[in-house]
Amino acid sequence: MWCPKLCRTKCVFGVVCSLFVLLGVLLWREISSGSSKHARAFLDARAILDRWEANYATIQTMKVAYSERVVGVTGADTDSLVRNQNMERIQDGKLYYVRYSKAERGFAEKGSIIERAFDGTVSKAYVPMDKAGKITSGLTGNLLDGLNDFEIYMLMTRIRLDSYKQDFPEGIPMFSALLRSGIKGGWAMVCSELEPVAGEPCHVIETRTSKGGNIDRIWVAHAKGMLPLRHEVVRDGKVIRKMEVLKVASTVTDTGEFWYPSEAYRETDRPRGGTAKYQFRVREFVPHVRVSSDTFDLHFPDGTRIRDEVAGISYVESKR
């Protein structure tokens, strides 16, 4: 029997259900696209730290190729800045092999290329243009050898702190140090709203490593393994260092998918006054890359004039 009242009730119920479904879909799309500045954050600092460490703190070996160049500078003593650097690097903790150039055209300028390596015992350097090599004891070389700029942008640079040497004997990653110290001191907080960076909805964390110290603000992409997409260091209300990711890429390995900045920039105050702005681009990133004992042994080609400070001799390489 047809009942107008029952029919109207069913229609109203159906419309209400449809509205709830539509609102749910719209909200999800809004959060996923990062278009809303009013989406509520839903993780605390501890949960964010755990997810970041699960993705990035375990990376000990990597292969990375990148370039960084100065695109703006103010202040005095600008000649001391490294204007351009192109780097190809394989590393396993302290062990590394690097091939780099400080020329404007990078590796296209063959005469600018330098190779260096440390195998855990000796350091080796090779300058192809001069066909000259050098062997020294222990970990030696210049700043570029040991510095991995990729880790700076990822907040993965490892620092040695006595309070964390049991959990991180090879040094604690910068991201972990900032959040762990902040959580322990009660200074770490997650802002109530997600904010978009590079099109990704991000949790915004404010923390510091000591009472009255600098404030670190970090924007991490929720859907990209808590990858940091923006980092600001604030002192006395002024931003003294800033990093922001413009484009995000990913790489897939046997252990999963890893996100990284394919293009970013950073700005920093300079020690003698003024500022410097850098443009950063990544051509390749392979985490957990397989290495062997031969990976970090730099082989000199025939005809290289070698100064071996370990053996106290000089000779010309010849494999014949």
Side-chain angles (χ1 to χ4, degrees):
M1 181 177 179
W2 181 70
C3 179
K5 188 174 183 180
L6 179 61
C7 183
R8 287 196 300 271
T9 301
K10 288 183 177 180
C11 289
V12 170
F13 180 74
V15 170
V16 171
C17 289
S18 298
L19 285 174
F20 273 114
V21 172
L22 179 59
L23 286 172
V25 171
L26 290 175
L27 179 60
W28 172 250
R29 289 179 61 186
E30 191 175 34
I31 292 174
S32 299
S33 66
S35 62
S36 173
K37 292 186 178 181
H38 303 289
R40 305 292 294 179
F42 46 89
L43 294 178
D44 61 14
R46 182 77 248 182
I48 292 171
L49 173 63
D50 289 344
R51 292 195 185 186
W52 184 90
E53 288 187 344
N55 287 315
Y56 298 107
T58 59
I59 297 176
Q60 286 289 330
T61 65
M62 73 171 69
K63 179 181 180 182
V64 64
Y66 61 81
S67 64
E68 187 180 57
R69 66 188 184 95
V70 176
V71 293
V73 61
T74 64
D77 192 27
T78 59
D79 293 338
S80 63
L81 284 173
V82 178
R83 297 281 179 163
N84 300 278
Q85 62 167 316
N86 289 266
M87 183 79 68
E88 294 176 351
R89 182 183 188 92
I90 301 177
Q91 72 178 46
D92 179 2
K94 287 185 176 181
L95 311 186
Y96 67 83
Y97 166 80
V98 297
R99 178 174 176 264
Y100 67 87
S101 166
K102 294 189 287 185
E104 186 173 354
R105 295 194 301 121
F107 297 121
E109 296 186 34
K110 302 297 183 182
S112 69
I113 298 173
I114 297 175
E115 295 179 57
R116 295 182 184 270
F118 173 62
D119 64 2
T121 304
V122 299
S123 296
K124 293 183 179 180
Y126 174 57
V127 183
M129 181 178 65
D130 300 331
K131 296 208 78 174
K134 184 179 179 181
I135 303 174
T136 54
S137 179
L139 181 59
T140 60
N142 61 29
L143 180 62
L144 284 179
D145 298 348
L147 184 65
N148 186 341
D149 291 285
F150 178 80
E151 291 183 326
I152 294 176
Y153 285 85
M154 296 279 287
L155 296 184
M156 288 174 56
T157 303
R158 292 182 178 266
I159 55 177
R160 293 188 176 274
L161 298 174
D162 290 340
S163 53
Y164 296 111
K165 64 181 180 182
Q166 185 173 353
D167 294 331
F168 299 93
E170 299 299 321
I172 182 171
M174 179 62 71
F175 187 92
S176 297
L178 290 172
L179 265 68
R180 284 175 177 252
S181 298
I183 293 170
K184 184 178 180 180
W187 306 306
M189 60 165 285
V190 179
C191 297
S192 60
E193 296 178 355
L194 298 175
E195 295 185 14
V197 179
E200 294 293 331
C202 294
H203 299 280
V204 185
I205 311 159
E206 284 197 4
T207 187
R208 63 179 76 203
T209 56
S210 62
K211 186 176 181 180
N214 294 341
I215 296 174
D216 284 81
R217 296 191 190 121
I218 310 171
W219 286 253
V220 295
H222 177 80
K224 299 293 185 287
M226 299 303 161
L227 174 70
L229 295 187
R230 183 186 293 159
H231 178 213
E232 295 178 351
V233 180
V234 182
R235 178 186 298 162
D236 298 327
K238 178 189 176 185
V239 177
I240 60 172
R241 289 195 299 276
K242 179 180 180 179
M243 180 280 296
E244 183 166 338
V245 174
L246 304 177
K247 295 180 181 178
V248 178
S250 71
T251 182
V252 179
T253 71
D254 295 340
T255 55
E257 185 174 21
F258 295 86
W259 300 90
Y260 64 93
S262 61
E263 186 175 339
Y265 76 90
R266 65 184 175 103
E267 296 181 50
T268 181
D269 281 0
R270 302 178 62 228
R272 297 184 181 181
T275 61
K277 182 175 181 178
Y278 300 83
Q279 180 189 67
F280 184 72
R281 288 176 175 165
V282 179
R283 299 188 300 276
E284 180 184 25
F285 170 53
V286 183
H288 303 295
V289 67
R290 291 183 176 86
V291 298
S292 66
S293 58
D294 190 57
T295 302
F296 308 105
D297 184 10
L298 197 162
H299 299 282
F300 299 109
D302 281 0
T304 303
R305 295 176 290 104
I306 300 171
R307 188 174 72 191
D308 188 337
E309 295 185 356
V310 177
I313 60 174
S314 296
Y315 60 95
V316 176
E317 179 68 26
S318 176
K319 298 179 176 62
R320 289 173 289 184

